[in-house]
Amino acid sequence: GGWNYVILQEQSQYPTIDFYRYNSMYPSAGKLDSLIHYVNSNTIFYMTWGRKFGGEQCINGYCSPVFIDFFHMQDSLRSAYNEIAGILSAKVAPVGLGWKEALLQNPNIDLWQMDYSHPALQGSYLAACIFYVTIFSG
């Protein structure tokens, strides 16, 4: 106990696949949020970023739409995290939207590691900055 915030992040593909979004992510987030409030803390959802080239995400036969690029996949992630945060009246650390803005300002910035999924140093730093603002801006 004694935490002001507890950060929840879903496995990166689940929010983009409707089956997992509605049958795993949202029910689990609701249960965890209840426990977080029980210990007098607050939930912040870690809005992740899309894969560099988008693509179709499939797990155990359930698939997302075919995302044409990062921006298309990011729109799906934004929707999922904002929807559950709205349902639970929680905050969102919009890391994925920060990545989107960074790419719009400088398309050559390299935020991903070579797997085009995980963050490079620049992506991790940007995520940390967004968490700082989310937590300390009130």
Side-chain angles (χ1 to χ4, degrees), residues 104-136:
L104 289 171
Q105 290 185 28
N106 179 2
N108 296 318
I109 191 168
D110 197 7
L111 299 173
W112 293 269
Q113 289 185 23
M114 296 299 291
D115 65 1
Y116 306 126
S117 177
H118 294 93
L121 182 61
Q122 298 88 330
S124 293
Y125 180 75
L126 179 55
C129 291
I130 292 167
F131 270 102
Y132 181 87
V133 170
T134 300
I135 292 169
F136 293 107

Side-chain angles (χ1 to χ4, degrees), residues 13 16-17 51 53-59 61-68 73:
Q13 296 167 306
T16 67
I17 302 169
R51 298 208 170 167
F53 300 110
E56 184 177 40
Q57 311 303 307
C58 293
I59 301 172
Y62 296 99
C63 297
S64 72
V66 178
F67 299 112
I68 59 171
M73 187 172 180

Side-chain angles (χ1 to χ4, degrees), residues 32-80:
L32 290 170
D33 184 67
S34 294
L35 293 171
I36 292 164
H37 285 286
Y38 181 76
V39 296
N40 295 316
S41 191
N42 298 290
T43 302
I44 296 178
F45 286 98
Y46 184 157
M47 180 192 295
T48 55
W49 52 88
R51 298 208 170 167
K52 187 170 187 174
F53 300 110
E56 184 177 40
Q57 311 303 307
C58 293
I59 301 172
N60 297 325
Y62 296 99
C63 297
S64 72
V66 178
F67 299 112
I68 59 171
D69 58 15
F70 160 80
F71 297 100
H72 188 207
M73 187 172 180
Q74 189 57 53
D75 287 343
S76 179
L77 290 162
R78 177 195 47 78
S79 173

